[in-house]
C-alpha cells in the first residue's frame, strides 16, 4: 500500500495509454514489417552471393578459365551482389576470324590462370573467364568494344575504371605482365609457372648432331670452316635480327597490327617511339636485307676496281 492520495500503478498505466496517440500503432506495425522485410532481403542477397560463388568455384575446379555468354556475363559479372574480382579476356578464337594474336594471347592467359589455380594462395576472391565474340556478341556491343584481344578487370564493387583495362598495345600480353597488372588492381600476387618446353632442347640437340655429323664426314677437308664469307653471312643475320626488333618481338610479344578504338581503322605502326608492332620490325628486316644485298653486290666491284687502279690497268672505276 502506498501513501494516502498517491495514484496506483493501474491508474498510471491507464493515463499513459490514454495519452498515447491513436495513429502510433499502425506506424509501429509498419516499421516492424519494414525491418522484417529488410532482414529477409539481406538474407536473400547473402544466399544469392553464396550460390554464385559456389558455382564459380565449381567451374574453376574443372578448368582454370571458363567461357561465358551474354546471360552468364550479366549474371555473374554485371549483376550484384558480388564480393570477388573477375578477369575477363574478350577475344575471337574461331578459325574464320583468323586472329593469330588472339591465339597467342590465349596461351599466355592460360598459363596465368593455371598458375593461379594450382597455387597455394588460390581462393574465391579472383576468377578468370573468357568471352568469345561469336558466343557473346551482345557483350561486345554493350561495352562498345570493337577490338580483340582485350583484358578487363571487374572489381567487387563499382564499375571498372580506365586502369581496369589492360594496356595490351604498350605492354604486350606476356603472362608476367598480366600478373603484375592484376597485382596492382586486386592486391593478389600470382607467381607464374610456365610448363617445361623441350622443343628448344630437342632442336639444339638435332643441330649439334647435324653439325657433328657434317664435320665427321668432312674431317679430311675442313677448309669451309675458315670461309670468311660464310661467317660474315651468319654475323649479318644475327645483327639484322637484333637491330630490326625480332628479339624484342620474341620477348614482349607485340601485336602484328591493332585497331584504332575510336574509328576502328587498322594501324600497322605505333605513334609512340618507345613501342612498335611486328609489322614495323618485318619492314625493318626487309630494308636491312636489301641494303645488305646491295652492299654485297657493290663490294666486289669496289675491291676489283682498287686492284686495277693499283696495277695501272685503269685509272678510274665506273659503276654500270
Amino acid at each position: 500500500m502506498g501513501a494516502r492520495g498517491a495514484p496506483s500503478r493501474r491508474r498510471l498505466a491507464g493515463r499513459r495509454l490514454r495519452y498515447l496517440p491513436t495513429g502510433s500503432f499502425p506506424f509501429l506495425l509498419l516499421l516492424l514489417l519494414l525491418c522484417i522485410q529488410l532482414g529477409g532481403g539481406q538474407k536473400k542477397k547473402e544466399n544469392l552471393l553464396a550460390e554464385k560463388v559456389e558455382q564459380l568455384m565449381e567451374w574453376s575446379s574443372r578448368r582454370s578459365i571458363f567461357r561465358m555468354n551474354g546471360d552468364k556475363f550479366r549474371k555473374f559479372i554485371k549483376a550484384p551482389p558480388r564480393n570477388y574480382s573477375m578477369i575477363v579476356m574478350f577475344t575471337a578464337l574461331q578459325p574464320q576470324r583468323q586472329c593469330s594474336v588472339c591465339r597467342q594471347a590465349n596461351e599466355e592467359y592460360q598459363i596465368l590462370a593455371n598458375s593461379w589455380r594450382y597455387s597455394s594462395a588460390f581462393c574465391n576472391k579472383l576468377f578468370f573467364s573468357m568471352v568469345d565474340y561469336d558466343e557473346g556478341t551482345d557483350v561486345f556491343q554493350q561495352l562498345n568494344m570493337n577490338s580483340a584481344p582485350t583484358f578487363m578487370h571487374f572489381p567487387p564493387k563499382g564499375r571498372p575504371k580506365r586502369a581496369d583495362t589492360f594496356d595490351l598495345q604498350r605492354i604486350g600480353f606476356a603472362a608476367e605482365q598480366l600478373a603484375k597488372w592484376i597485382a596492382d588492381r586486386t592486391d593478389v600476387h600470382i607467381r607464374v609457372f610456365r610448363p617445361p618446353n623441350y622443343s628448344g632442347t630437342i632442336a639444339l640437340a638435332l643441330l649439334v648432331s647435324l653439325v657433328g655429323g657434317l664435320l665427321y664426314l668432312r674431317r679430311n677437308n675442313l677448309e669451309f670452316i675458315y670461309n670468311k664469307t660464310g661467317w660474315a653471312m651468319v654475323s649479318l643475320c644475327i645483327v639484322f635480327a637484333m637491330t630490326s626488333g625480332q628479339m624484342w618481338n620474341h620477348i614482349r610479344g607485340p601485336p602484328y597490327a591493332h585497331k584504332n578504338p575510336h574509328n576502328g581503322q587498322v594501324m600497322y605502326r605505333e605513334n609512340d617511339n618507345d613501342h612498335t608492332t611486328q609489322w614495323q620490325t618485318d619492314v625493318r628486316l626487309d630494308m636491312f636485307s636489301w641494303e645488305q644485298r646491295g652492299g654485297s653486290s657493290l663490294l666486289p666491284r669496289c675491291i676489283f676496281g682498287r686492284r686495277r687502279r693499283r696495277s695501272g690497268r685503269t685509272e678510274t672505276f665506273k659503276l654500270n
Side-chain angles (χ1 to χ4, degrees):
M1 296 296 294
R4 195 173 194 180
S8 62
R9 293 182 179 179
R10 292 183 179 180
R11 292 180 181 179
L12 291 176
R15 291 178 183 177
R16 291 174 183 174
L17 294 175
R18 189 182 304 167
Y19 291 110
L20 192 66
T22 58
S24 60
F25 289 102
F27 175 76
L28 293 175
L29 181 61
L30 180 62
L31 183 61
L32 180 61
L33 293 176
L34 183 61
C35 293
I36 295 175
Q37 185 177 3
L38 290 177
Q42 184 67 23
K43 186 176 182 180
K44 184 178 180 181
K45 288 183 178 180
E46 293 178 357
N47 294 335
L48 180 60
L49 178 60
E51 292 177 1
K52 292 170 67 174
V53 174
E54 183 180 0
Q55 183 66 57
L56 293 174
M57 291 297 292
E58 182 181 355
W59 288 343
S60 298
S61 62
R62 298 176 183 176
R63 56 180 60 186
S64 56
I65 301 174
F66 41 86
R67 306 174 74 95
M68 286 192 170
N69 53 19
D71 296 335
K72 292 180 179 179
F73 179 83
R74 284 183 286 270
K75 179 180 179 180
F76 291 94
I77 298 180
K78 299 294 291 184
R82 191 175 71 250
N83 64 347
Y84 51 85
S85 296
M86 182 73 71
I87 306 297
V88 184
M89 182 180 73
F90 300 90
T91 184
L93 295 176
Q94 296 300 325
Q96 64 269 20
R97 299 298 176 184
Q98 297 181 356
C99 182
S100 59
V101 180
C102 296
R103 291 190 292 270
Q104 297 173 8
N106 182 50
E107 294 176 359
E108 295 293 323
Y109 191 54
Q110 192 73 42
I111 293 174
L112 176 64
N114 288 333
S115 301
W116 167 244
R117 178 187 176 187
Y118 296 107
S119 66
S120 59
F122 177 75
C123 61
N124 58 0
K125 299 300 181 182
L126 179 65
F127 298 97
F128 292 86
S129 63
M130 176 193 306
V131 177
D132 193 278
Y133 179 80
D134 296 288
E135 299 174 358
T137 308
D138 53 342
V139 178
F140 279 76
Q141 295 176 355
Q142 181 181 357
L143 298 176
N144 296 324
M145 193 174 298
N146 54 10
S147 62
T150 301
F151 297 92
M152 288 189 64
H153 164 245
F154 292 88
K157 296 181 181 179
R159 296 182 178 180
K161 300 179 181 179
R162 184 175 182 180
D164 289 317
T165 301
F166 183 68
D167 194 353
L168 184 144
Q169 305 296 338
R170 299 175 61 88
I171 305 177
F173 47 77
E176 291 77 9
Q177 297 295 335
L178 288 170
K180 183 178 179 181
W181 168 68
I182 292 174
D184 294 337
R185 305 309 304 165
T186 64
D187 292 334
V188 175
H189 298 273
I190 303 176
R191 184 179 179 183
V192 178
F193 294 95
R194 292 187 175 273
N197 186 6
Y198 300 103
S199 59
T201 305
I202 295 174
L204 180 60
L206 291 176
L207 179 61
V208 172
S209 301
L210 180 62
V211 173
L214 181 62
L215 293 176
Y216 179 78
L217 294 176
R218 299 289 301 272
R219 60 184 180 276
N220 296 326
N221 186 10
L222 300 178
E223 295 181 357
F224 66 95
I225 298 180
Y226 304 98
N227 190 342
K228 298 180 180 180
T229 304
W231 288 111
M233 294 299 297
V234 172
S235 301
L236 285 175
C237 292
I238 297 175
V239 170
F240 292 160
M242 296 297 178
T243 56
S244 63
Q246 299 298 323
M247 184 56 65
W248 190 88
N249 292 342
H250 180 72
I251 297 174
R252 303 295 293 274
Y256 187 83
H258 63 91
K259 288 186 177 181
N260 191 326
H262 301 289
N263 53 21
Q265 183 181 1
V266 179
M267 302 178 62
Y268 293 95
R269 60 181 300 272
E270 289 282 358
N271 296 325
D272 191 357
N273 295 328
D274 297 333
H275 302 86
T276 184
T277 60
Q278 292 186 15
W279 180 85
Q280 290 177 270
T281 58
D282 293 342
V283 170
R284 294 193 194 102
L285 182 60
D286 293 338
M287 292 175 58
F288 294 159
S289 300
W290 282 106
E291 290 177 1
Q292 187 270 337
R293 293 173 185 175
S296 300
S297 62
L298 292 177
L299 186 60
R301 298 187 179 185
C302 297
I303 295 175
F304 293 149
R306 292 179 179 178
R307 291 179 178 177
R308 291 174 182 175
R309 286 197 299 270
R310 291 177 181 177
S311 61
R313 295 180 181 178
T314 56
E315 296 180 357
T316 59
F317 174 74
K318 296 182 181 180
L319 297 175
N320 296 330

